[in-house]
Each structure stands twice: as C-alpha cells, then as structure tokens.
Amino acid sequence: MSDTSMTMQQRSTILHLEDVYKRYGELLILDDIDLSVKEGELCTLVGPSGSGKSTLLRLILGQEQPSAGELTIAGKVAGTPDTRRGIVFQRYSLFPHLTVLQNVALGRNLQTGFLERRRRRKEFDEEAMHYLQRVRLGQHADKYPHELSGGMRQRVAIAQSLLTKPPILLMDEPFGALDPETREEMQIFLLELWDEHRMTIFFVTHDLEEALFVGTRILVLSQYYTDGRGELPNGERGARIVADYHLPQMASSTEIKHNPEFVQLLEHIRQEGFNPNYLQHARAFNLKHPDSFQTLSEVEHYTATSVTTSS
Ligand SMILES: Nc1ncnc2c1ncn2[C@@H]1O[C@H](COP(=O)(O)OP(=O)(O)OP(=O)(O)O)[C@@H](O)[C@H]1O
Ligand SMILES: [Mg+2]
C-alpha cells in the first residue's frame, strides 16, 4: 500500500491538536493530546469506557473548549460548531415528528432564515432527496423515523450530516445500537460512502474489530500508562493516545476479520490500551502512524525507559 502512503504524504493537514488538555473540575480527562490528521483519513478511536473519547469528539466539534492547548482545523482555530464539522451520534439524532426527508433537509434549514427557507424550499428538498438516495433510502422519504429500522435511521442521520458537506465527519458509536448483521452492513456502507466522498472521518467505537475493519488509522486513547510523574493524588491520570497505527486496508471484504494478522493486531491493541495491568511508559507508546507525534514533558522525557509491568 505504498501508493496510498505517498498520496497521504502530499495531502494537507486538516486537523491538528497540540498539548490539548481537558478538565472537568478537579478531574483531568484528556492529558496532553497531540494529534495530526491529514485530509481523507478514516480515523477510528477506541479506548476503555470513560477514557474521554466522546469528550475528544466534542472538542473537535467545538461543542466544548480545551482547558489548555491548541486545536485547529485547516490551520484555523476550531472555535464553536460550524459547517467544517458534521456529527452522527449513536441514536436520537432524528426528530420523531418530522419525516425522513424533513429530517435530512434540517441541516440546511437551520442555516437559513424563514423567508429564504420558504423561497428555496424546493431546492432544499431536492438536495435532501439526493442525499437520501445516496444512502439508498429514496423510497422512504415520506416515512417517519419510527417506521424505519435502526440501520435505516442511522443512514438518515448520516444523510443529514452529509448534506452540509462537512470536511470532517465525526461519528460517536454510530452503529453501537445495531444488531451484528446490520452493523456489518453499515460498516461496508460507510466504507463505500467514504470511497465516494473522501472526507475525513473520525469514528469512535467500543468495538475493536469494527475499528480495525473500517479504519485507515487506529488511535487508542487510554488512561492505562505510566510516565514518571508518580501517582497522582487521586490515583488517576488523564487519557493519552497510547497507540496509533496506520492500517493498510487489507481488503474491503469482511473475511479480513478472520485473517491471523488482523486478529494478532487486535489482541496487541487490546493489551496496550485496555488492560489496566499492562502499563506502557509514555516514551514507549506504539505510535506507528507516519503523522503521529508526541510532545513529552521534562519529567516524562528524563524518567526511566519503558517500565512495562504485567501481573
Ligand atoms: N460534562 C461533563 N462534566 C463532568 N464530567 C464529564 C462530563 N462529560 C464527561 N465527563 C467525564 O469525563 C470522562 C470521560 O467521558 P467520555 O464520555 O468522554 O468517555 P468515553 O470514552 O466516551 O466513554 P464511553 O466509552 O463510555 O462512551 C468520564 O469520567 C465522564 O464522567
Ligand atoms: Mg463516549
């Protein structure tokens, strides 16, 4: 896959986070996040429950601001939510009293005033219909969300988020509420859409297998590591990106999930990010992606090398 990496080198950076911290009161959630993402990557983000994955997405969305550090989109401060980012949640992103078409058109309607909306209604409806067809739901435009299956509802939510053509699409466990079969269909569907649009996607999931299957890059966010700062007063530390791998898309067939290399990487990542008894040192994080970088504090820099402990 050297062709892919060549073109990746030439693409520009769309998202850049440097020394980003996020606190809620006394609690440090994100602890010095460094991340650089190029246009067109499909990044998946995994990590233990409560490690701060959704918090990181909210920072990228601009719904929340970092406590410290810098977060830019195409070189400009991320600021508050705007059309540079779209988001799809696990569920509840549709209005039950609006039809499927009206739900999709909402993206445009919220951006325009009442009079303009009235004047351009036909145009907006046609545009919404176009996106509905893209997610293969053209025939269901006049239905209400409760008349659709879970997978169909998520496709509506995806159409809604695509409408404003956001350069970055954020997805927080978008397929988490679906049964395994529908989930697999949606994973393939997402890959097809990504192939067609080539936008940058940031995809949070609990499911490591899903993350490895859909991603071109996997980021592991975890609070299980050591860094020479000693134990913090509450015994906890904020999460950092402890692993970052380039994933050559081995095949767009689900058979890859049974490939021994795939299974081995999955086990490796499970150990690195999810096992509280296995603590990598911050200096020894597995940051194998070509765009990965990390700034270390003086303490982290000078303390002993990898103290990997297993028990
Ligand atoms: N608005 C908030 N105020 C205070 N604490 C918060 C807030 N939002 C999140 N937290 C805390 O921040 C931590 C990280 O939460 P977050 O939802 O980002 O984790 P997550 O990795 O997405 O977890 P999950 O996998 O369970 O979805 C948790 O301890 C949570 O309780
Ligand atoms: Mg979450």
Side-chain angles (χ1 to χ4, degrees), residues 5 35 40 45 65 111 140 147 189 191 203 240 248-249 260:
S5 28
L35 176 67
L45 181 66
Q65 301 304 315
Q111 285 175 342
H140 302 277
E147 298 175 274
F189 172 71
L191 287 174
F203 184 102
R240 295 180 67 166
Q249 282 206 303

Side-chain angles (χ1 to χ4, degrees), residues 212-226:
L212 288 175
F213 177 63
V214 304
T216 58
R217 176 176 186 177
I218 184 167
L219 298 157
V220 184
L221 187 73
S222 175
Q223 61 276 49
Y224 304 139
Y225 64 91
T226 175

Side-chain angles (χ1 to χ4, degrees), residues 91-102:
R91 52 174 100 193
Y92 310 123
S93 26
L94 304 180
F95 285 105
H97 61 285
L98 297 181
T99 65
V100 163
L101 187 79
Q102 288 165 340

